[in-house]
């Protein structure tokens, strides 16, 4: 069926991974891919120090890549993160330079499945 064949790239904030490693590995095993969305979804990176951005970028990549061990799934055969999505879609020239050094490609969201500012109904 088409729905079973559909694959997605999920942009992950690595601070939210602890406790969900089994679920994350399940998504990867199902053929989905993870992209870097920094350690947390804060919007300080576009105006903050470049080295702080680079450190956080590397920390998130490392957390995701640890999920790929001991053998990378077919969805991420290189065992490396390929995609980045800037929190708040705020991407500076300094951030772009950092992405290029790591070989990451930048993606911007074009739709959202929910609004994080509105509480879910009980």
């Amino acid at each position: 069926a088409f729905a079973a064949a559909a694959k997605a790239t999920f942009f992950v904030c690595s601070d939210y991974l602890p406790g969900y490693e089994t679920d994350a590995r399940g998504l990867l095993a199902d053929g989905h891919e993870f992209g870097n969305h920094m350690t947390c979804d804060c919007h300080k990176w576009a105006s903050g120090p470049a080295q702080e951005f680079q450190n956080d970028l590397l920390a998130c990549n490392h957390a995701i890549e640890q999920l790929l061990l001991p053998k990378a799934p077919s969805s991420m055969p290189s065992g490396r993160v390929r995609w980045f999505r800037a929190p708040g879609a705020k991407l500076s020239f300094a951030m772009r330079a950092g992405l290029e050094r790591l070989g990451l490609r930048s993606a911007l969201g074009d739709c959202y499945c929910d609004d994080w500012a509105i509480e879910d109904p009980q």
Side-chain angles (χ1 to χ4, degrees):
F2 177 75
K7 303 298 178 209
T9 300
F10 294 96
F11 290 90
V12 175
C13 292
S14 60
D15 283 356
Y16 309 143
L17 279 174
Y20 296 98
E21 295 88 350
T22 300
D23 295 327
R25 285 188 176 100
L27 288 168
L28 292 166
D30 287 344
H32 303 292
E33 179 179 22
F34 288 164
N36 186 322
H37 195 48
M38 303 300 282
T39 56
C40 63
D41 193 20
C42 56
H43 302 172
K44 66 182 181 178
W45 308 116
S47 59
Q51 189 58 52
E52 190 176 335
F53 166 76
Q54 194 74 21
N55 292 344
D56 203 75
L57 183 69
L58 288 168
C60 184
N61 267 10
H62 180 74
I64 293 170
E65 289 167 359
Q66 290 302 300
L67 294 170
L68 306 176
L69 298 173
K71 181 179 181 291
S74 62
S75 58
M76 296 180 74
S78 70
R80 309 272 312 168
V81 176
R82 300 181 315 149
W83 292 98
F84 170 80
R85 181 180 175 278
K90 296 178 181 179
L91 183 67
S92 69
F93 287 109
M95 291 168 70
R96 275 186 43 193
L99 298 177
E100 288 174 7
R101 281 192 292 278
L102 293 178
L104 293 172
R105 297 191 61 175
S106 179
L108 295 177
D110 64 353
C111 64
Y112 295 90
C113 62
D114 68 344
D115 187 332
W116 56 267
I118 298 173
E119 292 292 322
D120 289 332
Q122 299 298 338

